[in-house]
């Protein structure tokens, strides 16, 4: 399967619970993939050590297979300063000002890029995935949280401090629920997968039998956002209401994104985007309703799944070889 | 005064009522400036003819002064497709899909750039003005309307269709007033200079004597936004309320801009920014209150005044010489 002597990038997408890792050719083809637990509760030093060990292992695996590892790409969540190669603030992983690029470059002796997981995922979708034919792409990942990447001419905007694209933390409902960031009414607090699940649980209340829902604790019914979407599609009133609130808020957020970025294509990824037509059909209508003089962007589902971040890490590594 | 044989760009900033025009050296120095009425009510063809005649006149003036006109830059409001050189939609000027770059290049025989007035103004502030030391700048013009330019590495983002940076048309008050664009609760509908004046007039009502206010029509008191700011500073209750509403909405809008763009410096221009400390002091506090994990940008007044757009037109023209 492996091409003898082929050059590959070593790529790691480090999340709060697991790391997705791969060897990726210059053509974007995945030659080998593996996953490891992050075990973030061990603290940042232990996580860094695991990252470096896994990366070394991947480079060794490449060589054993007759491949040549030429560059390393690592992406992490949170605030990432790509220019300095520092993981500034990653709550899930426990990083705070970790100079991960230098640590990894020193250990492996390879040109190394450090990136942001959602920006890397957006880069991969824009170059290899659902945004392939567009010069201006907004990638929006909707899962536990909501984050975005604005990709223009195959480059994801980082911002001045590595914090661009925080679409989850724009105000959409001034009197809305408190967000994890401390503000009130952020898009993420209304329309993330976890917010949809929480809102439905709140409304259905502790005394309901909850139908087929799993019981999440004493007297509390908890169903996933996907199940809320399915119940809405089946015509259940409460689910329909919660789903519509989320779709309306998402449309407000995407309309704001379009007003500021003016893209050709919006790619939706993450768990919530799996809802398919149940999300995309009403969201397209709601977005269209909000656009006046702005052109309507194409609104499409991501196609690379949860490998997007890892592929993006490989792209960042390969880019490093072109502009060292 | 003119340097013999010096090279200059011919620059025109075309607005709904007037055109600001200049001859600008490669160092950004204005060698000559003049203004002309636009008289947009004559229709787009007549306005185009005036633009071309004025541009020709400026080039002739340059040559008569011993200068060499090397490039032409024209900026207009609305939706401008810089890549194709087309004024797509400029309500104030009456343009609809006018291929102004080609028309001007053919008439004057000079390399010609067509740009957007606020993006050009932002470019000038970022390179020559209040954002001079920052790599990532958000320029926000607050006048009759609100528009913004995101400038990174000395280039203003245009978007896929020439419509990026429409900060005035993001949702900040879901139940707010109807905006000129047809949507409800846009930032522009709450916090532009004209919205502030209108809101104050509504609240003070037709039966009030209005103090020192000018009477804008039968039974209707109308004072400018600047006067509302002054009355708020003097402690008048109604003015304080209207001004606070505008500042809060602006802070929401700027916080959204910072979440998506992550800039170092926000430069505020346009009429409302003339309010000085009466605007900047409460706005800085309100913006700080809204930022959680984001870095607080510097918030500073524009310094180039109403010449910014014309200077930006010259910069676009000069850039054209470097990357033809």
């Amino acid at each position: 399967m492996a091409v003898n002597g082929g050059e590959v990038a070593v790529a790691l997408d480090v999340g709060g619970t697991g790391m997705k890792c791969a060897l990726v050719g210059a053509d974007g083809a995945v030659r080998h993939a593996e996953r490891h637990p992050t075990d973030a509760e061990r603290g940042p030093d232990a996580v860094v050590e695991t990252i470096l060990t896994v990366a070394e292992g991947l480079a060794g695996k490449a060589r054993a297979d007759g491949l040549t590892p030429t560059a390393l790409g690592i992406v992490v969540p949170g605030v990432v300063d790509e220019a300095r190669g520092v993981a500034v603030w990653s709550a899930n992983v426990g990083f705070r000002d970790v100079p991960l690029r230098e640590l990894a470059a020193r250990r492996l002796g390879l040109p190394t890029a450090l990136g942001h997981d959602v920006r890397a995922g957006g880069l991969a979708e824009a170059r290899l995935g659902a945004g392939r034919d567009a010069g201006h792409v907004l990638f929006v990942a909707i899962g536990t949280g909501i984050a975005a990447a604005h990709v223009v001419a195959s480059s994801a905007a980082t911002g001045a401090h590595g914090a661009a694209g925080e679409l989850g933390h724009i105000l959409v409902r001034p009197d809305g629920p408190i967000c994890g960031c401390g503000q009130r009414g952020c898009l993420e607090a209304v329309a993330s997968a976890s917010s949809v699940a929480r809102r439905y649980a709140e409304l259905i209340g502790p005394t309901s039998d909850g139908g087929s829902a799993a019981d999440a604790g004493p007297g509390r019914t908890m169903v996933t956002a996907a199940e809320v979407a399915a119940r809405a599609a089946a015509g259940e009133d409460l689910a329909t209401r919660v789903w519509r609130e989320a779709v309306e808020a998402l449309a407000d957020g995407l309309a704001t994104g379009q007003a500021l970025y003016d893209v050709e294509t919006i790619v939706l990824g993450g768990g919530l985007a799996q809802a398919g037509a149940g999300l995309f059909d009403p969201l397209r209508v709601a977005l269209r309703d909000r656009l006046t003089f702005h052109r309507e962007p194409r609104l499409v589902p991501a196609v690379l799944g949860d490998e997007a971040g890892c592929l993006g890490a490989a792209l960042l590594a390969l880019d490093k070889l072109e502009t060292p």
Side-chain angles (χ1 to χ4, degrees), chain A:
Chain A
M1 216 159 62
V3 177
N4 217 27
E7 298 189 339
V8 289
V10 176
L12 288 85
D13 175 7
V14 180
T17 53
M19 302 181 192
K20 293 148 202 150
C21 312
L23 298 172
V24 181
D27 55 355
V30 174
R31 303 293 183 82
H32 167 76
E34 58 188 55
R35 298 197 177 204
H36 300 269
T38 300
D39 293 335
E41 66 283 356
R42 298 173 301 146
D45 290 348
V47 173
V48 168
E49 186 53 38
T50 301
I51 290 171
L52 300 182
T53 305
V54 166
E56 276 186 313
L58 280 161
K61 159 82 179 155
R63 292 189 188 98
D65 289 352
L67 299 167
T68 306
T70 53
L72 169 62
I74 303 172
V75 303
V76 301
V79 178
V80 181
D81 188 331
E82 271 101 338
R84 292 191 302 130
V86 174
V88 176
W89 183 77
S90 301
N92 297 348
V93 186
F95 287 169
R96 183 98 212 191
D97 289 321
V98 175
L100 195 51
R101 185 177 66 199
E102 196 188 325
L103 292 171
R106 208 185 298 156
R107 178 77 74 94
L108 270 79
L110 291 176
T112 301
L114 180 71
H116 177 266
D117 59 352
V118 174
R119 288 199 287 269
L123 190 67
E125 287 288 350
R127 285 204 210 164
L128 307 170
R132 213 169 40 235
D133 299 323
H136 296 250
V137 174
L138 182 63
F139 172 68
V140 183
I142 312 172
T144 314
I146 294 179
H150 180 218
V151 185
V152 178
S154 293
S155 173
T158 61
H161 317 96
E166 290 287 0
L167 191 73
H169 300 285
I170 66 170
L171 175 75
V172 294
R173 295 292 175 265
D175 302 316
I178 293 281
C179 180
C181 79
Q183 287 298 324
R184 184 179 287 281
C186 291
L187 178 60
E188 180 169 305
V190 183
S192 69
S194 47
S195 296
V196 167
R198 189 179 55 244
R199 177 75 175 139
Y200 184 77
E202 278 168 14
L203 288 177
I204 209 162
T207 56
S208 161
D209 73 10
S212 64
D215 194 332
R220 168 66 80 181
T221 299
M222 195 78 175
V223 301
T224 63
E227 176 64 19
V228 174
R231 291 183 186 192
E236 195 206 280
D237 283 350
L238 206 58
T240 300
R241 174 178 158 194
V242 171
W243 190 245
R244 192 176 52 225
E245 286 174 0
V247 166
E248 296 283 320
L250 272 178
D252 285 331
L254 295 183
T256 288
Q258 184 65 359
L260 296 193
Y261 293 135
D262 179 28
V263 297
E264 286 161 86
T265 302
I266 296 179
V267 179
L268 297 188
L272 207 77
Q274 313 273 333
L279 174 67
F280 282 85
D281 289 351
L283 187 53
R284 276 196 195 97
V285 173
L287 178 58
R288 192 172 300 145
D289 281 349
R290 283 157 175 78
L291 299 175
T292 51
F293 57 91
H294 271 87
R295 293 271 196 95
E296 185 184 341
R298 282 196 325 138
L299 186 65
V300 296
V303 297
L304 299 176
D306 73 353
E307 280 196 344
C310 188
L311 279 171
L315 292 175
L316 291 174
L318 293 166
D319 287 352
K320 194 88 186 173
L321 295 175
E322 286 174 21
T323 54

